[in-house]
Every structure is written in C-alpha cells, then in structure tokens.
Amino acid sequence: MELFDTHAHLNAGQFEAILPDVIQRANDAGVTKVTVVGCTAEDSQTAIDIAEQYDGVFASVGIQPNYVSEANEGDYEKIVELAKQPSVIAIGETGLDRYWDRAPFELQQEYFAKHIQLSISTGKPFIVHMRECGDDILDSLKPFTGQTPLKGIMHSFTGDAELAVKCMEFGLHISFAGMLTYKKSDDLRAVAATIPLDRLLVETDCPYLSPHPKRDQRPNEPALVRLTAECLAEQKKVSLEEIAQITTANACKLFGLS
Ligand code: NI
C-alpha cells in the first residue's frame, strides 16, 4: 500500500532535528510520497532543500495569505524563480483567510490571483488555504473561468458539500486532513462521502492537527496520514487499500508524477 501526504510542513522548525526519523516512519507506514509546502519565500526554499535530499519528497512554493503583508520586495519574484525547479510540483500555499487578521484582504486576493496565474503558466497545480471565506475563494476563481479546468487543491477542506461541488466545477481536487477524524466532525465526514473518488486527496498539514486517535501527538507527521485515509475509506465505503491506491494515483496525476 502506498499513501501520498499532499500537504506537509516538514520545513517547520519542529522537524529540523528529527527529519530523517520522520521520513523513515512515513516510509514504514506506507507513505511513500510527501509534498512539503512553503508559506514564505524563505521556507519555500527550505522545502526545495528537503525535497532534494529525500526520494519521494517534493516541494510546493508560495506565499501563504497570512504572510503576504510580511513579504519583502522581490519575494514573489523569488517564488516565480523557485517554481522552475524540477523538485517543485505545485504552487502555494496560497488562498484567502478571513479568520486571522494578519494581512489586508485585498492584498491576499492580489497574491492569490498571482499564484493562480503562475499555476496556469507553469502547469503546476495551486494549493488553496481557505478559512471562513468560501464565497471569496469562488469569486477569485471566476476571472479564470475561461482557462478551466484549473489544476488545484482545496487543502485541509472544511467547507460544505455545495462549496465542494463549486470548487470541483472549476476543476479543483478536495483534500482532507486530520480534522476529518475528529469526534465532532460528523458534518465534514458527510461532506467527504459526497466527493467523487477521482477528486479526493489526503494530507496531514503537519505539524498541526494530528488525526484521532493520535490527536495528542506533537508534532503531527506524514506517517499519521494513514489514519485520515482510513476514515475517508469508511465514508466512501471502500477499503483502506483502495482509498490509498485511488488518492495516490489522483495526486500523482495532478502533480505530473509517474
Ligand atoms: Ni498548510
């Protein structure tokens, strides 16, 4: 069985000293592929450095919406340059966030549009962070309607079934993280049951939000994506092996990996 953790922040400081063990545990758990996701120009570079060190580890480069205010002059241009690297298979994370008030919303929208454009020009899918702003995400996608299907991922999805349908109409995939496994997440599990198998992905979004029953484990790590995959398999009424095969194939196809 092979699993693909499509969203891991192995470039976070918590992992620096333990990374070889974390990768080993991932491989032991059948997690053979991981996308390390950048939130700033600096840690996008770190994501690439990690991807270049380990087989099956890839990088995504971008400036996350909560960091766009802190971006220095030239940081976005650096992302554009980094996006050309062979280990870079995706753009982001990007998106919009109305929960934290860390960056003016208009500036977030401006960066989101630039990341989508970079995705289109590179052919590498964009990774969307969404917090309390589903309709705004759809509004940002609309100008690109003429260029659909877009290639992208709604990461750590927590929206409703209606929003998922609208995102999928734009061509996007829906990725579930550990929150899917939480006792209080009946509504989210019901949403997951409605997503067609060919649009599903799994991720940890580590170091945060470890899945149940390892919720107390800090940091979360790619090996634990198996727990989310198990939960997703239950919702889709298929075996863990099938959901692993399907979500890994979906991810490989989307990221352009064989
Ligand atoms: Ni993330």
Side-chain angles (χ1 to χ4, degrees), residues 135-170:
D135 288 339
D136 300 300
I137 295 284
L138 296 172
D139 286 343
S140 290
L141 296 174
K142 273 175 199 146
F144 299 96
T145 303
Q147 297 168 75
T148 52
L150 295 167
K151 285 170 74 176
I153 299 170
M154 295 300 292
H155 115 80
S156 198
F157 190 74
T158 53
D160 60 20
E162 192 188 345
L163 179 66
V165 166
K166 287 178 178 161
C167 291
M168 288 187 287
E169 282 171 359
F170 280 104

Side-chain angles (χ1 to χ4, degrees), residues 7 67 142 177 187 216:
H7 195 113
Y67 294 90
K142 273 175 199 146
D187 290 350
D216 293 335

